[in-house]
Amino acid sequence: MVLTAQSEGGRSDISSMASSEVPDYILQGKSFRLFNTLRIVKKINTHLQVLGYSLYRAMSHGKILCEVSIETGASEWYGTIDVTNIRYEDGSAVAVEEYLGILFISPAWTTEPDVNLTLSSWTDNSPEVVHDDNGDGTFDVTARIIFSESHTFAKGDVVKFGISGDMMNNSDLYKDSFELYADTLPSGTVEVSAAAAPDEALADAKQVIELLRGGLSTPLSIRPGETQSFTVPSGKYTVQGNDLTNSDETIVAVAQASPAQIALETDAKITINVSYGGAQQFSSIDLKIGQLSSPVDNKQLHAKVIEHDTGKQLPNDFFSPNNHTTKIRRLPASGAADVSVELTVNNVRYLATQTVQLKNDLTTVTIDEDKIKTEDVDDSDFVDLPVKVQTDFNKSGSTILVQLLSTSLDWYYTETFDASKTSSKLSEPVKPGQYTVKVSGFIDGSTVYGVVGPTSLSVAKDGSTTLELTVKQGANLKVRGFPDYMSFGGISNLADLTGADFIAADASAVFKYSGNDGMGDTADYLQDEPATETTVKLAATIQEAVGHSVLPVMVSYTVNLSLGGYEEHLQTKDWLEHSFGNYILSMKVAKETSKESVPAGYIVNPDFLGECQKQFSPSYVMPVLEPLENALAHFDLDLKIPDEVDNTLKGYVLAVNWLTRSYGENVTFGWQVNLWGVGNSEWIYLKDETPETPATAAKKTADYIKSLDVYSGDYKPDFLAIDRYEADDFAKRGYSNGYCYGPYEWGRYYDFCGALSLELQVPVVPWQIPASRIPNVNEEVTNLEKQQWGTGGTYIFGDDQVNSDYHNIHPAILAIKPTFPPGSVTYKTVKEIFEGAGLFDLSYPTYTDFPLRGIVAVWLGGGATTGIIQGVGTTGPWTQEHISSYMENPIPLSTTSKGRVEYRRNGY
């Protein structure tokens, strides 16, 4: 066993290090940080005990055995592998302290596997999967199921791998290949030997070598001139050497790591040599912008560094918000530079310039309010911009917000107009050119009025351009069972029935999947429904503590289109009958358990509308009447099914709506849609000038929903849930499946929500949204799969530690390599995603304009996705704090919030 330091001090005297030196260690491939001597000793002892116990178990109990099967319904495109009856050779139970390691061969897949566990005794866990391509249509797969605490496997525990590949051929090869390990994996030794530093200033710098495999990075750190060994899991890796720099990047040496690729066999040793070119000298600047006054207090200023003598622009220009420091690095080692910031708003230019001497060190430039000068621009060549509004709204007092931003991102026009006026113009003449257009509507009497207009505008020099807008009536935001303010809720795993996490968050809803399997329990009628009963009681407990209504929400399937086999699920009468019956049972239990006028909420049939939109017309024939009649008879319910219900897909939707309204009575409910109903979800990454915009995707989705009459007739639902994808962006289940959002993508997601709500005139609930946050450079990032970082929570609630500069994001996050379907998205790293986001500022919450998008609530988290509860990821307490703070002054749904500001996340 090898225990080696990964620190600036190498192996030398770790007990004497100061806590600020933060040494890193790698033990059996698992990275963690140690902040002081006592913690070092504790960690080492703990991991020695784990590894020693793993060895003892292997010697005492023999190999770990299991049974592997492929579920019925596997195809050449998808199949599910079940790993069951996990035990030692001598029959004793397998207990893991940290993780279960699994090696196996699988068919080559198109998207990362879905990994799910069914456990007799639940322990929070997160999967980590990497693979090597064998070049013959198969992958060698290494998986770790990482547990939050020790777990002992019972006979009924199941590990499921959903593989998007051909499971029909070579199935025995895949099943027979499984090897399981407790708290260890087969590994080898990687020796890193670094040359001496090419400059004395770099002698104590940290050299980082990254081993890249399957989107995951294993960093190995040493000092120049040292040789050090690391224990690393076996597999194929790409080797990358990071630049060797001092803290301010005024001295830099490019590192060359050789070989560039390694294939580490079990118990083998490979040496990586690191060499350097000559050291280069640079200057650095920290540009600090303080709190400025209106109208630039909530906007980003255009910053440039210009060579003073030649006028040459030095680094790329950038944009900075107020109260932010930007680190400008690798400038010339000598000379003079002019550092300037400027922004033009409504034809007034706000600017500041300072000249600094560059001398191979770090200089700080501060721009405060007293440094900002103003000047009127020459508008003699500018033109009037008329605004024509098509509207039936005739009340005074409501306004439309119009914002124009030049393609150079440093020229703004912003103005509000009376919503009842059909003709007006901007008060200032407009500079001819290309602009991005953003318009915001208003709320009157709890009804949203959206404004539809062009997303871009070319203002002609001859003054012939007119901005044409249309005011459309949207959703009524008064929803049965919901509060009269925009609210937050989250998933519960029913582990803590005191509701402590929800009480700490001051949450307004708690949701859970109904039934035993959470997907309709197609095999038979359930005899009882503890999930619904417990969730309703939990909501009541939380409600009593927080002093306002808390809605229990059940996610219920009357048909399961979430895991493939679509035709089979739509055509199997027994399955449809049992799922209808189990839905009835859930509503029955909710009504009997609750003391509230609205006993519960329901999200019905996740993924149904999305899958049907891709492949089934409203006239698709399926059994509806017989399964429904049999389910009603099972419960002795004397309810007359409407004549309009027939044996078609459209008839099925009506049947679900009628059953909910007729038997569920006062429950509140909604269907669910997906981003990928239009054929894929990668359109979210496209730039605004491409044909597939949030508005066009929403229109296609709305048209299909209208064709099924989902929100029409006497039994229409109350709201619509909109699912992104239930995974944290910086966990492998998210980023390896094409869901790795930056601020630009989240903006388009919420634009889709708003456009869909406006098209259908239905209030919407973003659902299963990951509440995970972005870690900054000063935080400890040790295990991406266990910590489950992401962007969803940061985008909603804001985080001034990230602000508008992706350099504030922890480098381990920026280095993540997401996976997208071939030919769809070109981003290679998270860093590139943020670089492609344009202007953004994550300092502020975005929920202020959610009601203007028809959003009445946001329900956070999923079974393995960060939400309000602790135990899934690490963000729970942070989320609780931010929701609780929001609830001190929640946004009303009756009128336009005062929070509607000119500032917008993507540069407004």
Side-chain angles (χ1 to χ4, degrees), residues 300-425:
Q300 299 198 46
L301 283 78
H302 190 187
K304 296 179 182 179
V305 181
I306 305 294
E307 199 169 67
H308 183 75
D309 294 333
T310 66
K312 175 186 174 183
Q313 185 169 308
L314 294 176
N316 292 331
D317 55 346
F318 59 93
F319 291 82
S320 174
N322 289 204
N323 299 312
H324 181 61
T325 298
T326 300
K327 299 179 184 299
I328 310 171
R329 298 296 183 257
R330 306 198 186 190
L331 300 169
S334 61
D338 297 325
V339 181
S340 66
V341 298
E342 72 172 79
L343 187 67
T344 301
V345 181
N346 291 344
N347 293 340
V348 176
R349 180 176 289 120
Y350 300 80
L351 72 162
T353 300
Q354 291 189 36
T355 301
V356 298
Q357 296 299 315
L358 303 177
K359 44 190 177 181
N360 187 217
D361 62 4
L362 174 65
T363 303
T364 298
V365 174
T366 302
I367 305 291
D368 288 322
E369 175 69 20
D370 60 350
K371 301 285 195 343
I372 297 291
K373 310 300 180 185
T374 62
E375 61 183 32
D376 292 332
V377 300
D378 180 5
D379 60 6
S380 58
D381 294 329
F382 295 2
V383 297
D384 288 340
L385 179 61
V387 178
K388 293 191 179 299
V389 182
Q390 182 179 336
T391 179
D392 293 328
F393 187 81
N394 54 18
K395 297 181 183 179
S396 60
S398 293
T399 58
I400 297 169
L401 174 62
V402 175
Q403 301 175 82
L404 305 181
L405 174 61
S406 66
T407 53
S408 61
L409 306 179
D410 57 3
W411 204 290
Y412 280 89
Y413 293 96
T414 177
E415 194 158 343
T416 56
F417 297 93
D418 189 321
S420 63
K421 289 187 176 181
T422 59
S423 181
S424 188
K425 71 173 184 177

Side-chain angles (χ1 to χ4, degrees), residues 383-569:
V383 297
D384 288 340
L385 179 61
V387 178
K388 293 191 179 299
V389 182
Q390 182 179 336
T391 179
D392 293 328
F393 187 81
N394 54 18
K395 297 181 183 179
S396 60
S398 293
T399 58
I400 297 169
L401 174 62
V402 175
Q403 301 175 82
L404 305 181
L405 174 61
S406 66
T407 53
S408 61
L409 306 179
D410 57 3
W411 204 290
Y412 280 89
Y413 293 96
T414 177
E415 194 158 343
T416 56
F417 297 93
D418 189 321
S420 63
K421 289 187 176 181
T422 59
S423 181
S424 188
K425 71 173 184 177
L426 265 68
S427 57
E428 295 290 336
V430 176
K431 180 182 179 181
Q434 288 290 132
Y435 292 88
T436 298
V437 181
K438 290 288 184 179
V439 291
S440 299
F442 56 94
I443 299 172
D444 181 78
S446 298
T447 297
V448 176
Y449 289 85
V451 182
V452 179
T455 57
S456 63
L457 187 70
S458 179
V459 178
K461 295 179 179 179
D462 61 6
S464 60
T465 305
T466 297
L467 177 60
E468 297 184 351
L469 307 173
T470 301
V471 175
K472 295 178 65 175
Q473 182 175 330
N476 188 316
L477 302 184
K478 291 182 179 179
V479 182
R480 182 195 319 247
F482 284 57
D484 59 3
Y485 50 84
M486 201 275 294
S487 61
F488 290 95
I491 195 171
S492 172
N493 56 13
L494 302 185
D496 176 18
L497 299 183
T498 69
D501 291 333
F502 292 91
I503 293 169
D506 203 3
S508 300
V510 53
F511 73 87
K512 181 76 173 76
Y513 284 74
S514 64
N516 291 340
D517 68 7
M519 293 187 173
D521 296 285
T522 58
D524 207 347
Y525 289 106
L526 297 178
Q527 299 304 306
D528 57 12
E529 178 31 354
T532 299
E533 180 181 1
T534 306
T535 303
V536 172
K537 288 181 177 178
L538 174 61
T541 299
I542 300 167
Q543 179 170 305
E544 184 176 0
V546 298
H548 58 72
S549 64
V550 176
L551 180 69
V553 180
M554 306 310 299
V555 183
S556 294
Y557 287 83
T558 60
V559 62
N560 177 16
L561 299 191
S562 292
L563 294 176
Y566 310 121
E567 293 263 11
E568 185 179 19
H569 281 278

